[in-house]
Amino acid sequence: MNLVLKESDILRLEKSLDRMLISSGAHCALLIDQSGQLIASSGDPSNLDVVAISALTAANFGATAEIARLLGEDEFSLLFHKGKKENVH
């Protein structure tokens, strides 16, 4: 499926990510499609390799979906990685 977003769509997505950042206390939020393409972002990703994070997160999502399927689940509702300093949700 091809997704075409206008600039106004991106601005609305970024506003939503801004609100999520405020309520979550996160440093950065990235909206990534299933192929690993960055759609929108909010916060300060300056210390991140956003291209690599996007690609690896998409691959991780795909692998997790396949694990769920192999275990007889439709999907896993949560994908979370917790580190000493940073987390991915």
Side-chain angles (χ1 to χ4, degrees), residues 10-86:
I10 299 294
L11 291 173
R12 286 180 33 217
L13 288 168
E14 288 174 345
K15 277 186 157 183
S16 293
L17 290 175
D18 289 343
R19 286 192 303 271
M20 188 196 71
L21 273 184
I22 291 168
S23 66
S24 70
H27 303 290
C28 179
L30 307 174
L31 180 61
I32 303 164
D33 72 8
Q34 289 183 344
S35 71
Q37 295 294 311
L38 180 66
I39 297 171
S41 66
S42 180
D44 181 18
S46 62
N47 64 339
L48 298 176
D49 182 345
V50 174
V51 173
I53 292 282
S54 297
L56 291 168
T57 300
N60 189 36
F61 180 82
T64 300
E66 185 61 18
I67 291 168
R69 189 190 68 77
L70 290 171
L71 295 174
E73 295 286 338
D74 292 332
E75 65 181 4
F76 288 139
S77 61
L78 179 64
L79 181 60
F80 186 75
H81 299 283
K82 181 168 177 47
K84 290 181 181 179
K85 297 179 186 176
E86 297 293 338

